[in-house]
């Protein structure tokens, strides 16, 4: 499977939780290449149970030197304010030139900060779309 993520942007993975999880597991950091064919640095960022907001934010900030940052359920266990505080770092990570792919159970909060989405569609497969092309946030909230 070849997947090209936009650099300098935050892309949120949408779809059923089990499908998103499988897709994130399938992404192999050692196989990432630049258009020139050379290898690129990939960082997978997640959270440990009980970690606070500051630790999670720092972990994301530290990953900003990678070309691709895979953000895997970084807000699990946080309240709404904590989720917003952690996800707020994503734009600055992308601004350094990274392609940021986010899988988060709070897809509405992540989508509010996203440039685009990668939808795991059962019919069309993986569909990369600009954030404006996604359904209303309220519909996503009800579906999650």
């Amino acid at each position: 499977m070849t997947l090209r993520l936009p650099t300098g942007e935050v892309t949120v993975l949408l779809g059923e939780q089990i499908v998103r999880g499988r897709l994130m597991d399938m992404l192999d950091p050692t196989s990432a290449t630049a258009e020139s064919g050379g290898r690129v640095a990939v960082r997978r960022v997640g959270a440990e149970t009980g970690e606070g907001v500051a630790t999670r934010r720092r972990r994301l900030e530290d990953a900003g030197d990678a070309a691709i940052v895979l953000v895997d359920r970084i807000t699990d266990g946080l309240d709404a304010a904590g989720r917003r505080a952690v996800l707020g770092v994503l734009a600055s990570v992308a601004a350094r030139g990274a392609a940021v792919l986010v899988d988060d159970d709070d897809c509405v909060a992540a989508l509010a900060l996203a440039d685009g989405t990668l939808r795991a569609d059962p019919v069309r497969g993986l569909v990369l779309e600009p954030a404006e092309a996604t359904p209303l946030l309220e519909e996503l909230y009800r579906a999650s």
Side-chain angles (χ1 to χ4, degrees):
M1 169 179 73
T2 300
L3 176 62
R4 293 189 186 274
L5 295 171
T7 57
E9 293 187 10
V10 176
T11 304
V12 175
L13 186 57
L14 298 177
E16 293 183 34
Q17 180 178 354
I18 193 162
V19 175
R20 294 188 334 255
R22 287 180 182 158
L23 179 61
M24 289 296 280
D25 289 343
M26 287 173 43
L27 296 175
D28 178 10
T30 63
S31 67
T33 57
E35 287 189 21
S36 62
R39 298 250 181 226
V40 297
V42 178
R43 297 275 303 269
R44 186 178 297 268
V45 182
E48 300 292 325
T49 304
E51 283 183 331
V53 170
T55 301
R56 295 172 196 223
R57 286 177 57 97
R58 189 169 39 257
R59 194 172 279 163
L60 283 170
E61 290 164 354
D62 291 346
D65 60 339
I68 301 171
V69 179
L70 304 173
V71 182
D72 202 356
R73 301 173 58 101
I74 193 77
T75 67
D76 281 6
L78 296 178
D79 62 11
R83 289 192 301 271
R84 283 191 304 272
V86 170
L87 293 172
V89 177
L90 297 175
S92 65
V93 173
R96 294 184 229 166
V100 180
L101 180 63
V102 181
D103 176 23
D104 201 278
D105 277 345
D106 190 350
C107 63
V108 175
L111 187 58
L113 304 164
D115 300 296
T117 64
L118 180 64
R119 183 182 307 279
D121 186 287
V123 175
R124 298 183 298 162
L126 295 177
V127 180
L128 194 61
E129 301 171 321
E132 305 85 51
T134 59
L136 296 173
L137 292 178
E138 187 176 328
E139 290 177 32
L140 285 173
Y141 181 73
R142 277 190 250 130
S144 63

